Amino acid sequence: MEQVNTDNTKAQMRKGVLELCILSILSQGDAYPTEIIDKLKDTKLVVVEGTLYPLLTRLKNTGLLGYRWEESTSGPPRKYYKLTEIGEQYLKELQISWEELVNAVNSTIEKGKKL
Amino acid sequence: MEQVNTDNTKAQMRKGVLELCILSILSQGDAYPTEIIDKLKDTKLVVVEGTLYPLLTRLKNTGLLGYRWEESTSGPPRKYYKLTEIGEQYLKELQISWEELVNAVNSTIEKGKKL
DNA sequence: TTTAGTACTATGTGTTGCAAGGTACTAAAA
DNA sequence: TTTTAGTACCTTGCAACACATAGTACTAAA
């Protein structure tokens, strides 16, 4: 018998929506990775470096993000990421997909609650 | 430059929530796999056999589901899955996790839309 | 000159969704 | 009787992803 692992499922649930959240945050203004992690933490979405950095690189390589280096007075230079025009369009698509998913899941849950 | 792949992200978004949806459907009453796929399709969540069967086996092995065989007059026998008591409790937890996720993501999106 | 804090990067692992292919049962058509 | 269509279940192999872990490097204060 395998173990019941709620935490694992919670982690799985977050897959995919991270991309949406990161693009949303960057639509508010440029940000560097550590800043993004803090902002996600504010909304109860805990993401660690090992997750965020590869994801940002992926988004950059697909042309959704650009970046620039900026000096810091309190440590190493920061890599500020910025939403490209393609990224903005893509974000709108993802927002629609997200709404559709929420509706689909909620309608399934609602049907269950009726009985 | 890699390709921008919306479909892939959509698929990723659904990860984890499938478990929630399947348990929700089974909370409405016992069902066999093909039936579950049809019900998910009704709510715009397309799931294929290669996804569902391993998932059902996993849920059974963790004790969240049980099953029984039932004869059919129109084809091979059907494997009816049923939510166990542990499964019902687990479903409640997942529903809470889902609500938390929706709130977290929506608050991130909302902040973006303000600017 | 050592320590603490900040920041970015790389590697390896486990889980998962899915495509593709396969088996087997029933009933109706050829 | 054989073939075809419909239904249903199952397995294998792959690619993507999140994460743990470990490492490098810069600044400032102790």
Side-chain angles (χ1 to χ4, degrees):
Chain A
M1 180 85 80
E2 299 168 28
Q3 280 244 306
V4 181
N5 190 346
T6 315
D7 285 346
N8 188 26
T9 301
K10 286 183 187 175
Q12 285 299 320
M13 273 192 186
R14 296 184 339 201
K15 283 195 182 186
V17 303
L18 277 186
E19 223 174 281
L20 168 60
C21 291
I22 289 166
L23 295 179
S24 283
I25 285 175
L26 288 176
S27 75
Q28 305 166 42
D30 303 354
Y32 62 98
T34 308
E35 199 179 353
I36 294 173
I37 289 177
D38 287 342
K39 290 197 177 185
L40 285 172
K41 210 176 287 166
D42 289 344
T43 60
K44 314 284 185 208
L45 271 175
V46 178
V47 179
V48 295
E49 294 181 322
T51 301
L52 185 62
Y53 283 96
L55 179 50
L56 287 173
T57 302
R58 198 161 65 239
L59 294 173
K60 183 206 67 185
N61 287 342
T62 55
L64 303 177
L65 298 183
Y67 71 87
R68 66 174 190 281
W69 285 101
E70 211 163 281
E71 293 300 317
S72 165
T73 55
S74 63
R78 295 166 176 173
K79 201 171 181 177
Y80 277 85
Y81 282 92
K82 178 187 181 63
L83 212 56
T84 64
E85 248 179 72
I86 299 174
E88 279 181 42
Q89 279 207 310
Y90 184 69
L91 171 58
K92 285 178 190 166
E93 285 180 46
L94 284 191
Q95 284 174 345
I96 292 169
S97 296
W98 168 246
E99 278 182 37
E100 287 173 352
L101 176 68
V102 171
N103 288 335
V105 174
N106 281 344
S107 77
T108 302
I109 293 176
E110 285 310 312
K111 282 183 189 168
K113 281 184 178 169
K114 277 181 194 159
L115 310 182
Chain B
M1 179 83 81
E2 297 168 31
Q3 279 246 306
V4 180
N5 189 345
T6 316
D7 285 347
N8 187 25
T9 301
K10 285 183 186 174
Q12 285 300 318
M13 271 194 185
R14 296 186 338 203
K15 284 198 180 187
V17 305
L18 277 185
E19 223 175 280
L20 167 60
C21 291
I22 290 166
L23 295 179
S24 283
I25 285 174
L26 289 176
S27 76
Q28 304 166 43
D30 303 354
Y32 60 99
T34 306
E35 200 180 354
I36 294 173
I37 288 176
D38 288 342
K39 290 197 177 185
L40 285 172
K41 211 175 287 167
D42 289 343
T43 60
K44 315 283 183 207
L45 272 175
V46 177
V47 178
V48 294
E49 294 182 322
T51 301
L52 187 61
Y53 282 96
L55 179 51
L56 286 173
T57 303
R58 199 160 64 239
L59 293 173
K60 182 207 67 187
N61 288 341
T62 55
L64 302 177
L65 298 182
Y67 71 87
R68 67 173 190 281
W69 285 101
E70 210 163 283
E71 294 299 318
S72 165
T73 55
S74 63
R78 297 166 176 172
K79 199 171 181 178
Y80 277 85
Y81 282 92
K82 179 189 181 62
L83 213 57
T84 63
E85 249 179 71
I86 297 174
E88 280 181 39
Q89 279 207 310
Y90 184 69
L91 171 57
K92 284 178 191 166
E93 285 180 48
L94 284 191
Q95 284 175 343
I96 292 169
S97 296
W98 167 247
E99 279 182 35
E100 286 173 353
L101 176 68
V102 171
N103 288 335
V105 174
N106 282 344
S107 77
T108 302
I109 293 176
E110 285 310 312
K111 282 182 189 170
K113 282 186 178 170
K114 278 180 194 162
L115 309 181

